[in-house]
Amino acid sequence: GGSITARHNRKMIALLFVFLSLASALDNVVVDKTLAVPTITVLGTPNVTRYLSSNHRASLNFACKISKITVSPNFESISAGFSDPLTQVELEDHLGEPESVEWAHVMQTPFGSTDPRGQERQLSTLGGDLGEFLTVLSAIEKQLGVTFNDTLVLHKLKVYLTVMSRDKFYFDIDIDAVNHFKSVCNCPQLNIADPPESKKALLLNATNSYLSQGNEFFKKLLNNSEAFQIRPELVSSVIRAFYKVMWNKADPLHRRIKFILMRGPLSPKGFILVKTPGYCNSQLLAPMISPELCAKQMGIYHGDAAILLRTEISGILLMKNPESKNDVVKKANEISSSSLAALLADHKEPIYTVNFEALNDK
């Protein structure tokens, strides 16, 4: 009975993807077969795939040939008083040569946030996967003139988690935010990934405070919503939906969650904007980069790859009215651009553009 149901579910997912413009990712759908996966991961273990040879990566079709990597400063001078900034030479050394780049399939890889406290090579965007989900929902609201309440947001999140091509869905938190949750419920031993049932309502209410957010994007959205083009009530609904899914251990969808605990103080020394050639984007490939180098923290934003993620999310959430998808993606891109500017408005670290340049014959 269980195997028949599983086969039926896989067929349904395959049929749903026919309606998506990014259906080429279907052949690489990863199904979570693990029965018990920890719902919170503490960073510290190196990314084992970073040591794969380029030949091995190419055999997996996870390689896009480029001619060179160009680093361009987006500033004329370092902010006065800013100590130990990331230099262009340090960044170039960290990125290495074109043949050493580790490429990821965008439709198979969770997107981390722009938080610079990570250690593994990753794809990064505002708020991670949850941030992009929020951005697309906001675009749908604006473009279609609808308003999502808690019930609809939770339903949309469950639909996306069921159909999405990647195996895991990313969000993060830090120690300060966890401690805030502990103080709210007077639970010094609280595991925020799996709290007692009696405390869940209290903790859900606490998510309305920016103090409960370790993710910079969501923290700023809750603390200064005027600077962003996203309805604050929608922000809270998305956060609550995330925790409801993660806490419901009776629902297999909770295994899709990748909840990362960021440790240590936040002290970014640089921020980079990643650009990739069109033919890499058309192959759904993006370069993975570690935010940690020379004991310095570096925020990363994969703008081109994030557009691909928004396209997939939009396609799934708009299966009943696919004719609106292109306009929603365009609106989501606009919201994301203004959100990035708002996020970086008070940053003092130097910002660089990293361009993975096309081959001369492309």
Side-chain angles (χ1 to χ4, degrees), residues 119-141:
Q119 296 172 340
E120 300 180 353
R121 292 187 183 186
Q122 62 186 49
L123 302 182
S124 304
T125 190
L126 301 180
D129 288 323
L130 191 64
E132 291 296 348
F133 177 78
L134 167 64
T135 297
V136 170
L137 281 186
S138 180
I140 293 174
E141 284 195 339

Side-chain angles (χ1 to χ4, degrees), residues 178-179 181-183 185-191:
V178 172
N179 287 338
F181 277 121
K182 290 180 178 180
S183 67
C185 70
N186 193 25
C187 312
Q189 303 303 317
L190 174 70
N191 174 7

